[in-house]
Amino acid sequence: MAVERSLLEVNNLETGFRFGDVYHNAVDDVSLTLENNEILAIVGESGCGKSTLATSIMGLHDPKNTEIKGEVIYKDLNLLDLNEKLYNRIRGNDIGMIFQDPLGSLNPLMTIYNQISESLEYHSDLNEEQRRARVLELLNQVGIPRPEQIMKNYPHELSGGMRQRVVIAIALANKPPVIIADEPTTALDVTIQAQILDLMVDIQDETGSGIILITHDLGVVAETADRVAVMYAGQIVEEAPVEELFANPKHPYTRSLLNSIPHELEDDDDELHVIHGTVPSLQKLPRKGCRFAPRIPWIPEDSHEENPVLHEISPNHKVRCTCWKHFHFEGEDE
Amino acid sequence: MGFLEVRDLKVHYPIRGGVLNRVQDHVKAVDGVNLSIESGKTYGLVGESGSGKTTIGKTIIGLEKATSGKILYEGEDVTNKARSRNKKFENYNKDIQMIFQDATSSMNPKKRIIDVMSEPMRNYFNYTPQETKKRVADLLEIVGMNAEAMYKYPHEFSGGQRQRIGVARAVASDPKLIIADEPTSALDLSVQAQVLNFMRRIQKEYDLSYLFISHDLGVVQHMSDDIAIMHRGRFVEQGSKEEIYKNPQHIYTKRLLSAIPDMDPTTRAAHKVERQRVEAEYDAQETDYYDPKGRVYDLQRYDEEHYVALKPEEPNASLQNENVNTGGGN
């Protein structure tokens, strides 16, 4: 381990959900690091565990039905050991969160001003006047026109893009060093999405925060991320700097995913790549061997590792299992 | 001339208010739209939320009433006649079907797949139970599913499978046109690929036409022959896929195309500069492309198979030196 600690470190995180008396891991042995001034994208399809990873870091899971193992290290503190009271001092102050649905994360009965200043009231010693100045500054920063008027409005009076800007303003209120954004643009139109992504990149440049960006959209990843972790069935299957991942994807899942992006057709028989089979459910998920193996049955069994781990195949580029060395698409030559 | 013609279609919703709850104004969801649909082709309808694209689809199939304008099917006026019990309109009802975004809520949860899928057959064909079963099995097969699936209930399937059943059901009445309203927006990338592939295969097999409604420009580019871009209830640009993506003329189209995320992270900075340039241009030139009330101008012929909504009189000066390709995404 490096002497200098990363901004945020997740070590061997396992999050299990209870079904009857058994816990099934939705996040299975995930380790990652987030540095200052970096956007780390976590990409995967629904059910791969990417949102569970976010809620585990934030401690937002339901403790009765969830079991978490491993470590989340922030400033030499294992967040998973904290009680609710201490956690609340971290949330919003050190770690800000942006959710997918802006309407759901805003209180419909509070004005925009109250929602933003609530977080300042809780975490800082600013007096009323200073809070007001800070709220105005934040609204300006996230590009809201006429902030003086808008802050007296209620969420339903704003458009979707404006609401998401308010949510970002709340997340930024206490200048958190870490921001976790879970599908921040999925509910928005493309033009608004582009504006919000630009905003996030600009804010990150200004504040030097580390951002964990959770998304299913590879286009969003290509536009914003510095580093990418691809998740499948609760595990990270590939991790690389963004240019490397798009230019040189290695894991069969990453390659299949990139191949199923709709594109312009070359001829009439051109078809999109379809991944064989379906994602197994949490209970039926095989916990041994390569989890992607059932989706690529034409690859001989002995190309997979018995207990696949992440291998660093080139500097900063990690791939799980060894099957990528022998992978070819169905019907293609090796 | 297509088999289905939409002429100057308008769908306005009244806004009521005041003490007497009188009609004070109208929301012009669709405001003068023309479409001509030929067999075997796919028409992409693109726009942001609230642009009226879904309303057009719903009006064609009769889920919304047209305020004015005409829908002609095989030359016959069928405006607001969908769902009519009159035998005269039976073919129109049978030949136009729809696939919805949310496959779960478009199927009765208490019915088995065989019942869900045989309903259109009962309405339009006199099949015996054996024939129905055979037909359902055949339809399930063309969307890559097992015949045993017909005895299951909708909740027993995954989202992608349900959407494939939705496609199979739409095909059950042997239609000529399927209106697909965001059919894959709720699906994961790899599942979306599967549904899109099946839709294209079925199109070839049955010589179907699609009206493909989506906000996803990548999917529309993949599926469509012709594309119409919608904004504020009207078409801002209409033409062949190549023309729209390679040679967009209307500022709104350019803005939309430049906002598609670029799949190449190495050109990220250049793409961002270009996008912000187009965005600034959109803000600066908005008045050149919309009339003083903010309404989109009428479409004008720009080229063969390419229509653009431009200011009627003087041709726009900025257009001549404005031939930059804004890039079509991936």
Side-chain angles (χ1 to χ4, degrees):
Chain A
M1 193 172 291
V3 186
E4 192 102 333
R5 273 226 144 139
S6 303
L7 177 59
L8 188 79
E9 258 180 45
V10 176
N11 295 326
N12 308 96
L13 186 75
E14 287 182 24
T15 306
F17 293 123
R18 195 160 69 96
F19 290 88
D21 295 326
V22 201
Y23 286 90
H24 293 282
N25 283 352
V27 172
D28 211 351
D29 197 19
V30 167
S31 299
L32 42 89
T33 58
L34 177 71
E35 310 293 337
N36 277 311
N37 218 350
E38 165 182 73
I39 298 184
L40 168 68
I42 297 179
V43 63
E45 297 185 289
S46 37
C48 73
K50 56 192 193 302
S51 289
T52 307
L53 176 63
T55 49
S56 305
I57 295 172
M58 294 291 280
L60 292 174
H61 49 275
D62 165 17
K64 276 187 208 143
N65 295 313
T66 323
E67 186 183 52
I68 299 193
K69 290 180 204 147
E71 292 179 322
V72 178
I73 309 283
Y74 172 77
K75 282 188 182 163
D76 293 324
L77 208 64
N78 184 3
L79 298 184
L80 299 180
D81 294 339
L82 299 181
N83 61 28
E84 197 62 17
K85 206 175 155 205
L86 287 169
Y87 228 134
N88 273 339
R89 302 185 59 155
I90 301 274
R91 291 184 201 130
N93 194 36
D94 296 87
I95 307 180
M97 189 144 184
I98 302 166
F99 294 96
Q100 173 176 351
D101 174 16
L103 201 54
S105 39
L106 294 172
N107 185 335
L109 297 176
M110 282 167 81
T111 60
I112 301 303
Y113 171 77
N114 284 338
Q115 319 229 12
I116 303 176
S117 85
E118 186 187 30
S119 170
L120 293 170
E121 226 167 292
Y122 194 89
H123 292 290
S124 71
D125 321 318
L126 302 181
N127 62 31
E128 174 111 35
E129 207 172 303
Q130 289 166 318
R131 285 205 299 272
R132 205 185 133 80
R134 176 74 182 137
V135 169
L136 279 176
E137 185 191 335
L138 282 163
L139 289 176
N140 272 321
Q141 193 182 4
V142 297
I144 287 188
R146 300 175 289 112
E148 296 265 3
Q149 281 102 55
I150 296 286
M151 68 185 199
K152 291 179 199 139
N153 286 126
Y154 289 89
H156 74 268
E157 298 175 285
L158 305 182
S159 65
M162 283 296 154
R163 281 182 208 141
Q164 195 59 293
R165 284 169 198 262
V166 171
V167 172
I168 293 174
I170 296 173
L172 292 176
N174 294 295
K175 302 185 183 162
V178 181
I179 297 170
I180 300 178
D182 189 359
E183 305 267 11
T185 59
T186 307
L188 306 174
D189 279 323
V190 282
T191 50
I192 313 294
Q193 161 169 297
Q195 291 168 8
I196 297 285
L197 293 179
D198 282 351
L199 174 67
M200 288 183 55
V201 173
D202 290 346
I203 282 169
Q204 196 251 357
D205 284 344
E206 271 169 50
T207 60
S209 320
I211 299 182
I212 297 182
L213 175 72
I214 293 168
T215 182
H216 71 284
D217 189 333
L218 290 160
V220 169
V221 174
E223 287 272 332
T224 51
D226 298 309
R227 212 150 48 86
V228 191
V230 182
M231 278 185 83
Y232 178 78
Q235 294 177 320
I236 291 178
V237 293
E238 185 158 6
E239 193 188 317
V242 66
E243 291 88 1
E244 170 78 4
L245 190 94
F246 278 86
N248 212 358
K250 285 284 186 270
H251 195 276
Y253 179 62
T254 318
R255 289 180 59 188
S256 307
L257 213 50
L258 285 167
N259 239 11
S260 45
I261 298 172
H263 51 85
E264 210 177 338
L265 296 170
E266 269 151 38
D267 58 69
D268 230 27
D269 295 323
D270 194 7
E271 288 207 329
L272 294 173
H273 178 70
V274 172
I275 304 178
H276 188 92
T278 53
V279 181
S281 74
L282 219 47
Q283 288 119 301
K284 290 180 186 153
L285 189 66
R287 300 285 164 181
K288 270 188 188 151
C290 178
R291 294 186 184 179
F292 198 62
R295 314 283 307 263
I296 43 170
W298 61 94
I299 302 297
E301 253 174 63
D302 56 8
S303 351
H304 299 285
E305 271 179 306
E306 207 167 312
N307 273 313
V309 288
L310 280 172
H311 304 276
E312 189 154 10
I313 57 159
S314 62
N316 298 322
H317 191 164
K318 295 178 198 158
V319 184
R320 192 175 290 273
C321 195
T322 44
C323 54
W324 64 272
K325 290 180 193 161
H326 309 277
F327 179 69
H328 56 94
F329 288 112
E330 196 172 16
E332 272 176 26
D333 292 331
E334 200 169 333
Chain B
M1 232 347 228
F3 66 89
L4 187 89
E5 297 272 333
V6 175
R7 293 199 187 146
D8 199 28
L9 181 72
K10 292 183 181 172
V11 183
H12 295 179
Y13 300 108
I15 304 171
R16 289 173 183 278
V19 187
L20 297 170
N21 207 24
R22 286 210 182 107
V23 177
Q24 296 190 319
D25 202 356
H26 287 91
V27 176
K28 294 175 177 172
V30 178
D31 198 20
V33 155
N34 293 292
L35 264 177
S36 170
I37 290 176
E38 291 168 27
S39 62
K41 285 178 92 176
T42 302
Y43 298 82
L45 200 51
V46 187
E48 296 189 286
S49 41
S51 62
K53 54 192 192 304
T54 297
T55 310
I56 293 183
K58 283 186 170 172
T59 312
I60 293 175
I61 205 163
L63 293 171
E64 296 280 356
K65 273 214 151 70
T67 311
S68 71
K70 274 199 169 69
I71 298 171
L72 302 177
Y73 178 70
E74 308 273 16
E76 187 136 10
D77 186 355
V78 293
T79 322
N80 296 338
K81 289 289 187 282
R83 315 299 106 182
S84 160
R85 302 238 167 207
N86 193 330
K87 280 273 174 212
K88 200 174 134 195
F89 303 113
E90 196 185 76
N91 273 342
Y92 167 55
N93 281 336
K94 175 177 99 54
D95 288 345
I96 300 187
Q97 295 293 324
M98 189 153 179
I99 307 170
F100 297 90
Q101 171 172 358
D102 181 0
T104 316
S105 63
S106 67
M107 281 177 212
N108 187 335
K110 293 181 179 171
K111 285 189 172 179
R112 294 172 305 171
I113 298 306
I114 184 169
D115 303 318
V116 168
M117 287 186 53
S118 60
E119 189 159 340
M121 300 176 199
R122 270 204 306 281
N123 289 340
Y124 303 115
F125 310 114
N126 288 318
Y127 287 153
T128 62
Q130 283 76 25
E131 281 170 342
T132 308
K133 204 181 277 183
K134 168 110 189 4
R135 177 87 175 133
V136 170
D138 289 348
L139 287 169
L140 285 172
E141 200 195 316
I142 60 169
V143 292
M145 291 175 72
N146 240 319
E148 286 123 57
M150 72 171 88
Y151 298 112
K152 291 185 180 170
Y153 288 90
H155 73 266
E156 295 178 69
F157 297 95
S158 67
Q161 287 173 323
R162 267 199 293 268
Q163 196 56 287
R164 274 147 61 193
I165 294 168
V167 173
R169 177 179 59 178
V171 180
S173 72
D174 214 355
K176 286 186 176 167
L177 169 69
I178 292 182
I179 297 168
D181 188 0
E182 306 266 12
T184 60
S185 301
L187 304 176
D188 272 325
L189 204 52
S190 59
V191 181
Q192 162 175 293
Q194 200 174 27
V195 172
L196 293 180
N197 284 350
F198 280 119
M199 282 182 71
R200 283 176 49 83
R201 268 185 231 166
I202 290 169
Q203 175 167 42
K204 264 181 260 172
E205 204 171 318
Y206 292 87
D207 200 26
L208 273 173
S209 304
Y210 288 123
L211 180 62
F212 199 94
I213 300 170
S214 179
H215 71 284
D216 187 328
L217 290 139
V219 174
V220 169
Q221 185 182 28
H222 175 78
M223 293 295 286
S224 309
D225 303 301
D226 272 324
I227 289 173
I229 310 275
M230 249 191 123
H231 191 212
R232 300 182 187 165
R234 291 168 62 81
F235 288 171
V236 297
E237 196 157 357
Q238 189 177 16
S240 66
K241 171 173 67 183
E242 289 74 22
E243 281 289 313
I244 298 284
Y245 279 88
K246 305 263 154 61
N247 187 20
Q249 291 301 320
H250 197 279
I251 189 71
Y252 182 76
T253 314
K254 290 183 194 172
R255 178 176 176 236
L256 212 55
L257 290 177
S258 71
I260 306 175
D262 191 353
M263 284 293 171
D264 183 1
T266 53
T267 58
R268 186 191 284 176
H271 185 240
K272 183 175 170 182
V273 169
E274 172 64 16
R275 185 175 69 232
Q276 288 177 341
R277 191 190 64 77
V278 174
E279 188 78 15
E281 196 181 298
Y282 177 80
D283 290 338
Q285 298 184 6
E286 205 182 345
T287 49
D288 295 342
Y289 289 90
Y290 298 89
D291 75 5
K293 284 181 181 166
R295 191 171 190 256
V296 176
Y297 289 114
D298 287 334
L299 286 178
Q300 291 178 29
R301 196 188 158 103
Y302 173 78
D303 202 350
E304 205 180 336
E305 295 184 27
H306 191 172
Y307 295 82
V308 189
L310 295 174
K311 213 174 193 168
E313 315 87 30
E314 4 123 59
N316 200 312
S318 69
L319 272 179
Q320 268 84 58
N321 48 32
E322 251 317 315
N323 254 335
V324 187
N325 187 0
T326 44
N330 39 71

